[in-house]
Amino acid sequence: MRLALLGSPVAHSLSPAMHRAAMAHANLTGDYEARDVDRAGFSASLGEIRSRILAGANVTMPHKQTANESCDRSSDRAMRVGAVNTLVLKDGELYGDNTDIDGVRAAWATGNLPDEWPVVILGAGGAAGAALLATRDRPQYVVARRPQQAGALIERIGVDATVMSWGPRIPRGVIVNATSLGMRGETLPGHVLERARGLLDMAYGEGTTPAVATLRDRGIPVADGLDMLVGQAVRSFAIWTGIEVESSVFRRGAAEELLKRSQSGTRVVE
């Protein structure tokens, strides 16, 4: 079977190594490739899924919203978030799902993040939407530079969350960084880290982000973007194949790829 990651940029994604490891573990023949595609290339790849040349695909930025709009049918959670990251042909229709929600829940468990504190989500895009759905059973705050966008996201998803402007007066709680801060070595603002009782940092780049390193040193529970990537990959693979593969298989594939890159000097960018 042939699978693909569709987005731009994707050249340094860990997803191919992870899914190839899962395919080998499940004794499936085929490949998972990363395709750097613009809008036209993305549309062409959708045609390959419809014609069964591709058995399915993951979608990353900047095509998640377009994927949702292009599907014949999407899961309820994908429609509420407004983004699709997993595509498959189901009953002859192009079907979309959002397994980032599974990724958030898996990362929460991996990092042993506390459940008794409010969830403070930074950002108002699709990643923030996935975090809102995954943690909807707890008090939630969305901290965004564009409060109107955050309000629209909360309304579409249908959760009872509070919008807050970006600033020093955020609640204590588990911080979910659903922004790009950290991917290029930036750290979260000091007042955010001071209020954190846990952290899920969805951003990751060359190893541990500064925010994760800082809070880990303080003994605060943390989970990172790789924890989330593994969790969503497990669910995507099951959607395509019907096979449940342990998360350790995906994590081992990622670790082996990271080691290979470190030995060759290749930069890690997701």
Side-chain angles (χ1 to χ4, degrees), residues 49-212:
I49 299 174
R50 292 184 184 277
S51 61
R52 302 183 188 277
I53 295 173
L54 287 175
N58 279 136
V59 183
T60 189
M61 297 301 291
H63 302 306
K64 288 186 178 184
Q65 183 176 349
T66 302
N68 185 50
E69 296 166 352
S70 302
C71 288
D72 302 315
R73 192 160 49 94
S74 296
S75 66
D76 174 71
R77 61 186 187 173
M79 292 177 65
R80 290 166 73 181
V81 172
V84 158
N85 80 327
T86 302
L87 294 165
V88 70
L89 200 66
K90 181 181 287 191
D91 299 325
E93 294 182 313
L94 185 64
Y95 177 79
D97 201 353
N98 189 311
T99 67
D100 285 338
I101 297 153
D102 302 283
V104 171
R105 292 172 178 156
W108 212 276
T110 299
N112 197 27
L113 300 180
D115 292 324
E116 65 270 19
W117 287 95
V119 179
V120 183
I121 300 169
L122 310 181
L132 277 169
L133 264 184
T135 63
R136 62 186 180 273
D137 57 337
R138 275 151 268 180
Q140 296 173 312
Y141 297 86
V142 179
V143 181
R145 299 190 187 280
R146 290 179 286 180
Q148 285 186 329
Q149 181 179 344
L153 179 67
I154 290 167
E155 183 177 358
R156 184 173 70 242
I157 291 176
V159 294
D160 184 20
T162 301
V163 177
M164 299 191 71
S165 297
W166 193 274
R169 294 185 176 276
I170 67 169
R172 289 184 176 88
V174 179
I175 306 297
V176 178
N177 179 25
T179 75
S180 60
L181 283 173
M183 291 185 68
R184 294 171 178 82
E186 317 96 323
T187 191
L188 294 175
H191 68 269
V192 173
L193 298 180
E194 288 298 329
R195 309 291 279 180
R197 296 301 177 264
L199 172 67
L200 168 53
D201 196 349
M202 294 183 180
Y204 76 93
E206 298 184 32
T208 304
T209 64
V212 166

Side-chain angles (χ1 to χ4, degrees), residues 187-247:
T187 191
L188 294 175
H191 68 269
V192 173
L193 298 180
E194 288 298 329
R195 309 291 279 180
R197 296 301 177 264
L199 172 67
L200 168 53
D201 196 349
M202 294 183 180
Y204 76 93
E206 298 184 32
T208 304
T209 64
V212 166
T214 297
L215 292 184
R216 183 175 285 152
D217 287 345
R218 296 178 186 175
I220 303 293
V222 296
D224 62 20
L226 181 56
D227 295 325
M228 182 175 167
L229 184 66
V230 168
Q232 68 88 1
V234 169
R235 182 62 191 145
S236 291
F237 192 82
I239 289 172
W240 296 322
T241 66
I243 301 171
E244 299 282 347
V245 174
E246 291 289 332
S247 62

